[in-house]
Amino acid sequence: MITEAFLEQLEWALSASLLQAAKPDLRGCWCDGVLGPEWEADYLLDSVAQTHQLVLRAWLERSSKGQGPTQHLYQLVVHLGPHSYQQYLHERELLDCVPEQLDSTLMVLNMEKRVLEIQLP
């Protein structure tokens, strides 16, 4: 189940992971908010059962040398692992599926298409 608490926890976990990421394309980014799905198909149980993912939206900011921060809305694809997948299918809270810091080696950022993919346990 997608709740405001889940979205907020995801925002904090994303920011913590991005700030300490080893990948150069992730460093210098942080999350300034996570929004729920834009389309109903992105969170219906039947759809999630097939895709094993949720499609959310996230505001990401990035600082560049000599420039101020820029903020853009990204598509946030959340790949559900075994635990989070079962929680979602049983319409349970996903809050406990979000670690304090996500594994940044499992994050994929496409700045051109404005898509960030992450993995939950």
Side-chain angles (χ1 to χ4, degrees), residues 1-3 5 8 11 16 18 23-24 31 42 53-54 56 68 71 73 75 78 89 94-96 107 110 114:
M1 180 168 32
I2 299 171
T3 62
E8 187 175 306
E11 173 189 348
L18 290 168
K23 294 179 179 179
C31 183
D42 293 334
Q53 68 185 25
L54 297 170
L56 308 174
Q71 186 180 72
L73 187 61
Q75 182 180 58
V78 180
L89 289 185
L94 291 175
L95 191 58
D96 69 330
M107 291 181 167
N110 183 325
R114 294 193 180 147

Side-chain angles (χ1 to χ4, degrees), residues 29 48 63 71-72 81 83 105 109:
C29 294
V48 174
S63 291
Q71 186 180 72
H72 296 285
H83 177 63
T105 62
L109 177 64

Side-chain angles (χ1 to χ4, degrees), residues 85-104:
Y85 178 71
Q86 287 303 314
Q87 290 288 95
Y88 194 83
L89 289 185
H90 290 100
E91 299 185 56
R92 295 188 191 126
E93 174 65 70
L94 291 175
L95 191 58
D96 69 330
C97 300
V98 182
E100 286 186 28
Q101 188 170 333
L102 299 161
D103 184 350
S104 65

